[in-house]
Amino acid sequence: MKKESQFKEIIHSTLINNKTLPSEVINGYWGTAKAWKDEAILSDLIRRDDLPAPLIEEAKKFTSIALRASYLLRSTIAESEFYELTSNENRAGVLAAVVDELDIKKFSAFNQILLASLIKKPTRRLAEAVINSETANKELYLQALLSVTGDTGTSDFERSLNQRVSTIAQDEELYARLLKESDNSTRITRWASYALTNKGISASNRLLALEIIVPSMLFELSNHKQQGASNLQRRVGHVLNTVQNILTLEDIQPEIILAVRSYLLAYELIKEDLEPVISALDPVALAQKEADRKELIANIKSTTSMDFIISSATEKSRRDTDEELVFIALTNPNLDVNTELEVLRAALNINGDKAFAYVKENPSDLKALEVYKNSSGHLIKEDNYSLFSDPTIGRTLCITDGSTFDSNDYRSQYSRWNLIEAVVEEMPELDSSLGSVPWEYLVERSSNWYRERPATKKIISYLVKLQTEVLGSDPRKWETFNIISQDFAGSISDLVSAASTI
């Protein structure tokens, strides 16, 4: 490695590991970085709170994209100066670099500056930065979505796109603008698809979405039939699936159903192919379907048959994700404990937030445990066992209860281990409750990279303490421990205790 490269690494390490440095050192690094024309080091220096005043003044004069962005990202920059510099900044690269790292809520007016920049000169770099940001406002997200062009490339960005469309779709006016103003033929279909695959969208916006998607899809299918396409049945199947998915939306409005039927009837050439859906949309059939559903809901609300609830609500939800039926089942006053827990598990898989609220209003330790199991440990810090009657009870249940985890299902077992890990991470070192951790957990988490995790180290420390106190230096106890530890099904404390008494 060149001496210059070695010194660069030392400078980077020094800047990362020291919040404050003597001004002499800062000045020395500054001069060195300028001599090397190293913008990476200069950027790190510019952002430091201990940068001497003369160097701050010098930093203001730098004009490169990276260095100007670094100056704007200084934690001590005045709000007035930030707004002055960003409002006069014409380079999307600078604004995008700031958006990449800034909590936009810190400078609320920055939303309007970015919005003006995207309207004046839409650029993909700035649009993508805004879409990736978690702190922009909805109007800015809308303009960014309208400015995105071409292939987005990464799956992470695709996820961000989906999240922003979801955010915009909650605002009827903004979502209508997205559907009406987008001139990106590839994207507009995607924006419209959201309205036809998610609940909570107004009828007017669903009609806009239908107009974008359905006629072009049917026109294309009609052309393929006219031309005698060899894969016609596959294309017909795709259209039927698309239409049926729209019609199975939980909150589908009557006017949407009528509009779909009108579109289907408008294409004489493919009417016969689409007959299964057209027949299902017959007003008489729809009225009967609605009557049947009302009767089903009434029965679920009042039945005393737990088997009926399981088959009509829980099992149906697994096939159709029918959220309404599951949460209606939870209102049945005749539910026994086991059925209520089974329905709750289905509810958690469909709408975790709503299920959480249900348990908060109808508390019990067993229901709280189901919520915690479903969270794979994320609720430990967020909720701190508040759903339980007592934190100690909650902690113990989360560690010891594996009754609804399937030991033959890797994903189920993985969720259980994650829950135990989250509990252990919050426990003090050598806490006696660590002894209740299943031996199987420690075996699993000691055989791979999890052995370096804090929870695993904490459990091993407690095991060593137990072994020292209980097994001591008796070779027979240690030999017994070694023999019975193979596939042992109890807790760590149970194992050590058994080794000392058998």
Side-chain angles (χ1 to χ4, degrees):
M1 184 183 287
K2 294 181 180 179
K3 291 182 179 179
E4 178 183 310
S5 299
Q6 291 176 342
F7 189 32
K8 280 184 182 180
E9 292 301 321
I10 291 171
I11 291 175
H12 277 300
S13 296
T14 305
L15 293 175
I16 290 170
N17 294 311
N18 294 275
K19 289 187 176 180
T20 58
L21 288 168
S23 59
E24 294 85 355
V25 174
I26 296 287
N27 280 300
Y29 287 173
W30 186 271
T32 302
K34 284 177 64 180
W36 289 342
K37 297 180 179 179
D38 191 315
E39 289 198 346
I41 293 177
L42 284 171
S43 292
D44 289 342
L45 287 165
I46 289 171
R47 297 189 194 202
R48 291 183 66 89
D49 291 341
D50 60 351
L51 190 68
L55 298 187
I56 294 176
E57 291 303 312
E58 187 177 345
K60 287 182 186 180
K61 299 173 183 176
F62 291 138
T63 59
S64 76
I65 288 177
L67 299 185
R68 174 48 57 90
S70 293
Y71 183 77
L72 289 167
L73 287 165
R74 280 183 55 79
S75 63
T76 56
I77 190 169
E79 194 171 318
S80 57
E81 184 182 15
F82 178 85
Y83 288 142
E84 180 186 355
L85 291 175
T86 52
S87 60
N88 292 315
E89 181 57 69
N90 294 316
R91 292 170 295 174
V94 172
L95 297 175
V98 173
V99 173
D100 284 340
E101 299 187 42
L102 182 72
D103 179 353
I104 299 178
K105 291 177 182 175
K106 182 180 177 183
F107 297 106
S108 57
F110 191 36
N111 279 288
Q112 296 306 313
I113 292 170
L114 294 169
L115 183 62
S117 179
L118 279 173
I119 292 173
K120 181 180 178 182
K121 185 181 178 183
T123 64
R124 175 167 174 155
R125 172 70 178 94
L126 181 55
E128 290 190 358
V130 168
I131 288 168
N132 280 321
S133 170
E134 298 289 341
T135 56
N137 66 23
K138 287 190 285 189
E139 289 77 7
L140 183 54
Y141 283 140
L142 170 63
Q143 193 57 46
L145 288 171
L146 292 172
S147 302
V148 172
T149 58
D151 179 32
T152 53
T154 68
S155 57
D156 286 343
F157 184 67
E158 290 292 329
R159 279 192 291 272
S160 294
L161 269 178
N162 292 337
Q163 289 169 358
R164 301 312 158 233
V165 174
S166 174
T167 299
I168 295 297
Q170 305 315 309
D171 186 306
E172 184 173 354
E173 182 181 344
L174 292 181
Y175 188 46
R177 284 185 55 196
L178 179 64
L179 296 180
K180 291 174 182 177
E181 296 177 21
S182 178
D183 58 3
N184 186 324
S185 58
T186 303
R187 292 287 161 203
I188 187 63
T189 301
R190 181 172 181 172
W191 306 155
S193 294
Y194 185 90
L196 304 178
T197 54
N198 291 274
K199 62 181 184 177
I201 307 298
S202 69
S204 59
N205 280 341
R206 281 201 174 130
L207 288 171
L208 279 174
L210 282 176
E211 189 178 343
I212 291 166
I213 291 178
V214 177
S216 61
M217 180 174 62
L218 295 175
F219 179 75
E220 183 182 358
L221 179 60
S222 188
N223 280 345
H224 279 293
K225 182 166 185 178
Q226 197 167 20
Q227 295 164 12
S230 58
N231 58 351
L232 183 65
Q233 285 309 307
R234 184 175 63 83
R235 292 178 181 276
V236 168
H238 170 69
V239 171
L240 290 174
N241 285 336
T242 301
V243 173
Q244 285 169 341
N245 286 337
I246 295 171
L247 298 174
T248 53
L249 277 169
E250 183 182 325
D251 61 345
I252 192 72
Q253 299 95 337
E255 53 265 57
I256 305 303
I257 297 174
L258 291 173
V260 170
R261 191 165 191 268
S262 297
Y263 283 129
L264 297 179
L265 290 171
Y267 288 82
E268 290 289 337
L269 190 62
I270 53 175
K271 237 196 248 186
E272 183 182 340
D273 301 289
L274 302 177
E275 179 57 32
V277 175
I278 294 174
S279 298
L281 294 176
D282 178 77
V284 175
L286 288 173
Q288 184 59 50
K289 183 179 179 183
E290 182 64 21
D292 291 344
R293 184 171 180 84
K294 285 181 179 179
E295 183 181 358
L296 174 62
I297 288 173
N299 288 335
I300 290 174
K301 282 181 177 179
S302 60
T303 184
T304 57
S305 168
M306 299 303 102
D307 288 341
F308 179 79
I309 288 178
I310 297 301
S311 62
S312 301
T314 309
E315 291 180 2
K316 180 174 173 56
S317 75
R318 292 191 188 114
R319 298 190 301 271
D320 304 328
T321 318
D322 197 325
E323 180 178 323
E324 182 185 23
L325 294 184
V326 172
F327 282 94
I328 284 174
L330 286 173
T331 67
N332 185 311
N334 304 311
L335 285 178
D336 62 33
V337 172
N338 290 333
T339 305
E340 184 181 19
L341 292 178
E342 185 160 351
V343 176
L344 177 59
R345 287 178 207 121
L348 285 163
N349 290 329
I350 295 173
N351 189 329
D353 291 339
K354 193 172 177 180
F356 180 92
Y358 168 79
V359 175
K360 198 141 194 166
E361 293 173 8
N362 305 273
S364 83
D365 288 333
L366 289 178
K367 284 183 278 190
L369 179 61
E370 292 302 330
V371 175
Y372 268 61
K373 285 176 179 178
N374 187 267
S375 77
S376 291
H378 302 306
L379 273 178
I380 302 296
K381 291 182 180 178
E382 296 172 19
D383 181 64
N384 197 27
Y385 306 104
S386 72
L387 280 185
F388 292 93
S389 60
D390 180 86
T392 303
I393 292 174
R395 189 181 300 114
T396 302
L397 285 173
C398 287
I399 290 177
T400 60
D401 190 287
S403 58
T404 59
F405 289 103
D406 184 353
S407 59
N408 296 315
D409 181 348
Y410 173 77
R411 287 176 298 179
S412 178
Q413 200 71 316
Y414 181 76
S415 295
R416 185 187 183 199
W417 295 158
N418 282 349
L419 178 59
I420 292 175
E421 180 179 39
V423 175
V424 171
E425 283 181 351
E426 298 298 307
M427 293 169 65
E429 294 283 345
L430 303 180
D431 189 290
S432 60
S433 296
L434 290 166
S436 61
V437 171
W439 171 251
E440 185 185 2
Y441 171 87
L442 187 57
V443 171
E444 174 69 23
R445 291 293 166 109
S446 297
S447 60
N448 49 40
W449 64 275
Y450 281 102
R451 65 170 64 94
E452 298 298 324
R453 299 282 276 260
T456 309
K457 292 179 178 180
K458 194 178 289 186
I459 297 167
I460 289 173
S461 295
Y462 186 75
L463 173 62
V464 170
K465 175 179 178 293
L466 276 184
Q467 290 172 323
T468 303
E469 293 174 354
V470 180
L471 306 185
S473 55
D474 188 332
R476 288 174 301 176
K477 292 180 179 179
W478 281 96
E479 182 181 358
T480 303
F481 181 90
N482 182 47
I483 293 170
I484 66 174
S485 66
Q486 304 301 314
D487 299 322
F488 188 77
S491 69
I492 289 170
S493 292
D494 291 341
L495 175 58
V496 175
S497 175
S500 69
T501 56
I502 292 177

